[in-house]
Every structure is written in C-alpha cells, then in structure tokens.
C-alpha cells in the first residue's frame, strides 16, 4: 500500500431564505462539502503518477450527490513537460475566472455566483494537458469526448501570477455553445480586489448571447475578513441564462487556518416577472477543513 | 492534511427467517454495518472543531443505503460550554432510551426493536446543542428545519450516569406527532438489567396513541454474554404503529474487544390478523469493529 | 481505532471504438477502477478476523456503480482451519479461470473477456469456506442464499500452484444453470502461456449449452510486456450467450510496480447477423495502483 491522503471539508450553514414570492423559511444548507482521496508516486527522473477521487456530499442531510465522485476522478502523469490527465474534473476555465475571485466561501452554497455561465461546463470523459508554470504562467488544455452521444467539448484556460497581480482567462466550447472570460485580482496589503467579465453565446439562435460581470472586494483584519461581491448581467429571461443582479455581503472569522465561522447576506434581483427568480438569504455557518 | 480516523463495523448474520405466513427461508443479513470518517481540531482555549461522516452499508449484498451518509454528516464546535452541531445525526432521544438497553447486538438487524416508535425520528437538517456532562448529567437539544416542506422537529434528551445506575429520557415532536420515553439500566456485577417505557401520540386523530415497554437482561460470564429482551405494546393494528409482543434470546462470544461471534432467536407475535405481522428468526453471525 | 488499509486502482483509457455497424467514435473509458478498505485483527491462537470493502467506480465520469460496494463487502474469520466468510465477493470460479489468464489488463474494460459465461456469477448473500493452502492446493466452497426470491447458488473452485505450473478449475450453479471450467498457466522464463476451457449450460431448454475457450500469451522484456489473447465460442446467437471470436493484442510499459502505460487493440467478431454484435477498439491508457 502507498500513502493515500484523505482530506475534505464540511461547510454547513443555517439560513433564513426567501425564494421568489414564497414565504421566508429556515433552511440548513450544504456549501459544497466534500471528501477526497489522493496520492502520488515518484517514478524517478522527475516523472510522477498521481490520482484524485473527490466526492461531493450534502452536509445538511447526508445525501451523496448524483455521480458519487462528481468533483474529481482522475489519473495523471506529470513531469518537467507538465501533466497529462484522464477522467473527470472541474474545468480550468471556471477555476481561472468565477471561482478565483469568490474569496467569500469560494463560490459555494446559496451565496455562489448564479450569473456565471455554466452552459459549457464539461467535467466528464476528458483528456487534459497542463503546462508547467513558466514565468508565472500556467495553462490547461482539455478535450471532452462526446462518445457518439454529445458534441466534443473544449476547455482552455490560463493563469498568470506575478507578485500581487493575478490574471486569468478561460474559453470553453461544447458544440455551438461557447463562453470566454477574463479575470483580474490584485492584493493591496489587507485589501484584495477582483473582477471578471464573461461573454456567453449559448449557440441556440437569436438572443442567445449575454455579458456577465462581477467584482469582489475583501478586507482582512487579523482573523476577520469582510467581503463584498457584486455581479450583474443584462437581457431578459431566467437567472439561469441572463438578466439579474446579485450581491453578497460576508463576514468570516478564522478560528484557525482550517476552520472558520461566518455569516453572509446574499440577494439576487432577477429581471423575471413578478420576482419569480428573486432570492435572498441571511446565513450563519461553520466551515471545517480536514 | 489533518489526522482523520477511519473506523467502522461489519456485522453479518446467516438467518433462518419466517415472515408472516410465508415459508421459512435462509437469509444472509446485514446488522447496521457502517463505515465512518471523523476528525477533530484543537483551536486553543478549550475550543475544538470536529466533523463526522458515517455511512450505513449492507454487508450482505454490498449496497449503499438511501442517503449515503445516512448515519451522520455533521460539523461541530465544542468547548466548556458544551457543543453546537449542524447537519444530520441520529436523535439523542433514541440513543437515550431504546438503543441504550439493547445490549444484544445494539438494536440492529432482524433482532432490533420493532416496537419503539420512530414516528418522530428526525435526522436531517438539524441544529443541536449538547450540554457538557455535569454531575453525571448530559443533555441534547436539537431542532430540525422543515425547510418550507415539512413541520419543524424537536428532539430533547438527557442521560444521567452515577456508578452502576444509568438513567435516560427522550422527547421528540414533529408537527402534531410526539413521543416521550424514560429508561433505566442497572449493573449488578455480572448482571445488567434495563428497561424503557415509551408513550407515543401519532397526532393523526382517534386511536393514535399507545404505550410501549421493553425490558432487557444481560449476564456476563468471561467472554460469554447471555441476553434476554422482552417488549410489548397494546392496541390493534400493524407492528409499525402498535400491537405486538417481541422477545429475543441471544448469546455473544467475544473473541476480542472488537470482534464477536453470536447467535440469537427473535420472534414478533403481532396482533394483526392471520399472523400477517409475525416474524421469527434463528441467526448466527460475526460482528467485527475496525 | 485499528489499522485500516486504504487501497485502490485508477485505470483509464482513451479509445477509438467501433460498436456494431455504428460510426467509429472516441471514448474515455474506465477499466474496473476501484477503491478499497480492508483490515485484519489478530485474535490470538492463530485466529484472525478481517473485513474488506471494495467499491467499483467509473474513472472516466466519476459515477459510482450500481451497488456501491459491488466488488466486495465481507467479514471473515480465519485460522489453521482455513477461513469462513460472509457477505458479497467475486466468485472463486471466475478468479480461478477466466481472470487468471487475463494477464493483459486483468479482464477489465473493453478488452475484457466477452465470451466467458457469467450466467451463474453470483456475488451477494454468500457464505463461503476457504481451505488453507496445502501442497500448493487451495479451494473455495461458497453458497449464496436465495432469500426466498431466487434459487440458491453454489460456487466451487480450486487452484494448484507448483513452481512454473498453475492450474485451476471452477464450477458454479444457480438453479438449473451451471458452468464448469478448467484453466492452466505455465511460465517459460520470460514467456507465460495460459488457457481455459469452459462448458456452460444455461438450463433454459434446447440449444442452451456451449463451449468457450481462450488462450493467452505474454512475453516480458524488461519493463515491457507483449500480450496476445484469443478466444472463441461456437453456436449462433448473441455475444452474451454464444457465438463469437475475440482477440486482443496488447503492450504494457511498467513505469513502476504500481503504474503502467499501455495500449491494446481488441476485436470481437460475432456470429450475429449484420455485425450487430461486432466490436473493436484501439486504446491507450494509464493504470495506477495505490
């Protein structure tokens, strides 16, 4: 037996939610809790083999989510050339943009980014190449097999880190649907500012495109973090595809590097008729990494 | 990575069962087998963060049960004040009563207590407060969110341990259904005697209440344990809600602290017409903790 | 807590597949990836208790397979007398024959043996006895409970190992369906030759029997392995029950004892009309054990 690392995160909130025109209700909510197994083998000459299995679970009711290893199931060979990976994992185009600036609770649960376009978010049956990091730059190039049942997918992303400046971009395409996004994040001492702009083309014909934008700000004071996220997208329709504003105010208190207690207020103001797509939540929770 | 404890129990029996008026049949049966992950972090100042994930599995056929983490999925902060927990776990009112006196195979499998009222047994979407143990007393107070879909639930329980005397009580309520139970257990050297009485009100109108009672006795002789459980409930109807007698005779041989081989005979004599609710089983099995 | 061993295998290929008369397509495929937990306790006097939980997972898309612990869920007592096991596991009759000679990628994925008869392959609700190994011989005798719903099953197998010679046989029976197979494998220095012959009787009436045979050859040169498997079965019908030829050419390069990269070409030529049962695949992949 080799050395396998078991890790994960339980992130649970108690929330007072208002969904659409419904009554306000109390909800115990999961915020992307997970359990993972990973390991690495040194093959000599700089070559390494590794695997990762990551399971998403509902920390509020104990349910496993759809595909059990729905966050990652991969095997990889890496070396000076970079890395080649096979299997299922989260698109790099998402990590490089929307996820990167979500400092508050990392784009999970009811305060997650409802506006970012997931139309081309492909996780399964992928082959990926990851560049080594050169001069602060790293990139990912992934192709998802359609397996005769759906269109081939493509996901290309890059990240650039130099001192306090962090830039990223992502492009993805599934059939005729595609999206492109750029992101920046800057550290000004105890202040961190981030933003992304995304252009989506759902490839379904007329009125199938939109622009999405979001800014985030974090102020760190000792163990406390103060967060503000504001995003918006024009054009009518459902939240899913377009037309809404969203903002989140958050406060985190870090009990340790692994554990925090936090609270937030998040609200989505949809352009849908009669507040059908509106949502707001006042929440308090615990996030524990292990 | 932190230190995660991986633990569990495989508990499997081979049984000759007779269900209702059907033919006697041979069954390989699971007895609440489980696999768990847990960990704790010391946050300083007596404060601790911890998590628990506990999965119930069928050791006879390898199947996972409904919600995967159906035994526990929780995160907790604890200190001198007691503990606050969020998520899913087994109600304290059950552990304090029916489970506590089930020394034989701990209320699992075909010899489990079919008469105890599970009408208000709520596991999901809970917020709980656990008192510290003071003078032998400890208590749990848990509220389950209805999330706009079902009634709010309440579960209150307490345990008192002083030398050979162990007392417990539990109250739970989901909407208009409620139950209350008290339990006692006494250690007389190699003899252990226990009993509980439960009052159930299903909140469905007329004839919706019943009283359930059970006594248990254990005699320990070296590595051997001899068990006798007898329970009963009056009123007509199905076993599920009322009207049956149940008894179990059991023998355990402890091969170690972690492993036992055992046998039992259990029988349910239901008041349902034509033995529809009757059940009996002669069983032999292995329980291995890890 | 005891010492639990966490182990597994991620085995993923990228394949160009042609199924029946369909178009050739690119597929990312799982090859029997798994995650297992196992442990053993020394009970003294040569007696041991152990458990095994083994989960099959799809390394291409992250999905769990049907019954979660579908590869094994068992508890066992072992000693000088052999071992007694309860629960779910893979039939010994399969390991002793078809699996044993599948040196190339161990009978997994699209190059697995499509001709071996799985009609009596029973995994669940079993009680098994395993003999100790005496003079190179070991045997397994397992009975599967029908539990009043299906016929009782029987699985008997034996293995004999003496120097370079490895023999095996398996017999299994579920109701009126049965199969018997014998297998041999011989190591000639860097060449390994294997073969099995199986006789199946599906117990469904006329034309329900067939003979299946397969030979395998492996040539080892340093870290390289060259593989050839050829199998066949007479009689018309579907691949599932009879009538096809199958061959596989494989090349493995062992990066370490735990990790290999490999490629293969496999083809099934079915006797079904209009190539309905035909299949071929050209594949490249990574297998990483942990």
């Amino acid at each position: 037996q080799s050395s396998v690392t078991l890790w994960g995160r339980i992130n649970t909130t108690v929330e007072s939610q208002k969904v659409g025109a419904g009554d306000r209700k109390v909800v115990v909510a999961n915020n992307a809790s997970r359990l993972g197994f990973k390991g690495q083998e040194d093959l000599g000459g700089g070559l390494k083999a590794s695997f990762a299995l990551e399971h998403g679970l509902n920390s509020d009711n104990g349910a496993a989510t759809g595909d059990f290893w729905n966050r990652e199931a991969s095997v990889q060979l890496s070396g000076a050339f970079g890395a080649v990976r096979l299997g299922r994992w989260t698109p790099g185009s998402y990590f490089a943009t929307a996820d990167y600036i979500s400092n508050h609770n990392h784009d999970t649960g009811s305060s997650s980014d409802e506006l970012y376009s997931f139309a081309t978010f492909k996780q399964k049956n992928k082959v990926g190449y990851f560049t080594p990091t050169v001069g602060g730059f790293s990139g990912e190039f992934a192709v998802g097999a359609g397996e005769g049942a759906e269109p081939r997918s493509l996901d290309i992303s890059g990240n650039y880190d130099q001192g306090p400046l962090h830039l990223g971009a992502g492009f993805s395409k599934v059939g005729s649907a595609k999206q492109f996004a750029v992101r920046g994040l800057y550290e000004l001492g105890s202040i961190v500012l981030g933003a992304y702009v995304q252009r989506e083309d759902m490839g379904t014909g007329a009125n199938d495109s939109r622009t999405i934008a979001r800014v985030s700000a974090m102020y760190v004071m000792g163990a406390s973090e103060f967060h503000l996220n504001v995003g918006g997208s024009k054009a009518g329709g459902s939240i899913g595809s377009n037309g809404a504003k969203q903002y989140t105010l958050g406060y985190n208190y870090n009990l340790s590097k692994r554990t925090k207690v936090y609270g937030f207020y998040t609200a989505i103001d949809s352009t849908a008729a009669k507040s059908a797509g509106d949502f707001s939540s006042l929440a308090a929770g615990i996030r524990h990494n292990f």
Side-chain angles (χ1 to χ4, degrees), chain A:
Chain A
Q1 191 216 9
S2 58
S3 163
V4 176
T5 297
L6 198 166
W7 67 279
R9 166 182 305 185
I10 306 292
N11 190 352
T12 313
T13 44
V14 182
E15 312 196 1
S16 171
Q17 295 183 350
K18 186 165 170 58
V19 181
D23 288 336
R24 192 156 278 279
K25 62 188 176 185
V26 176
V27 169
V28 178
N30 170 44
N31 297 261
S33 299
R34 65 200 69 169
L35 175 67
F37 302 88
K38 62 183 174 184
Q40 186 170 281
E41 180 190 13
D42 196 332
L43 298 167
L47 196 63
K48 288 182 169 122
S50 60
F51 82 97
L53 291 171
E54 191 177 338
H55 159 60
L57 63 100
N58 290 343
S59 62
D60 53 345
N61 62 23
T65 45
D67 291 321
F68 193 85
W69 303 102
N70 60 334
R71 297 184 59 89
E72 184 156 354
S74 72
V75 63
Q76 179 175 290
L77 287 177
S78 62
F81 65 90
V84 172
R85 189 186 293 176
L86 304 179
R88 176 180 184 143
W89 66 92
T90 302
S93 61
Y94 166 70
F95 280 141
T97 57
D99 183 75
Y100 200 99
I101 66 160
S102 288
N103 299 302
H104 160 69
N105 216 15
H106 272 277
D107 205 30
T108 66
S110 69
S111 67
S112 65
D113 186 344
E114 285 294 314
L115 305 174
Y116 179 80
S117 169
F118 286 93
T120 55
F121 191 85
K122 169 89 178 188
Q123 296 173 282
K124 304 178 186 182
N125 298 309
K126 295 201 293 189
V127 179
Y129 167 69
F130 297 75
T131 72
T133 300
V134 178
F137 176 83
S138 61
E140 175 186 344
F141 184 94
V143 179
E147 304 201 336
E150 40 184 274
R152 184 170 298 184
S153 69
L154 187 65
D155 197 273
I156 304 171
S157 59
N159 286 275
Y160 175 78
D161 301 281
Q162 205 67 316
L165 180 65
H166 307 270
L167 301 175
F171 168 77
S172 56
K173 188 176 182 316
V174 179
S176 55
K178 53 182 181 278
Q179 66 83 24
F180 178 70
V182 292
R183 175 264 308 165
L185 185 137
Y186 199 82
E187 302 173 74
L188 276 157
S190 59
I191 296 176
V192 177
L193 298 172
Y196 78 80
V197 180
Q198 184 184 33
R199 182 69 190 171
E200 173 198 46
D201 182 345
M202 298 185 71
T204 53
N207 298 320
D208 63 344
S209 300
R210 61 169 182 161
T211 299
I212 300 129
R214 174 176 276 229
V215 295
S216 74
M218 169 168 75
Y219 175 67
V220 181
M221 192 174 63
S224 291
E225 294 173 11
F226 299 87
H227 292 272
L228 172 64
N229 289 349
V230 180
S233 167
K234 259 197 207 166
S238 68
I239 300 176
S241 55
N242 33 36
K245 287 186 290 260
Q246 181 179 21
Y247 73 92
T248 301
L249 278 164
Y251 172 75
N252 289 357
Y253 186 82
N254 294 299
L255 293 165
S256 73
K257 286 194 173 180
R258 290 169 43 198
T259 304
K260 71 174 186 182
V261 289
Y262 64 100
F264 63 79
Y265 179 77
T266 189
I268 299 168
D269 180 12
S270 164
T271 59
K274 292 184 180 173
S275 72
D278 287 1
F279 175 83
S280 69
S281 180
L282 181 65
I286 306 169
R287 190 194 69 185
H288 175 59
N289 293 340
F290 55 89

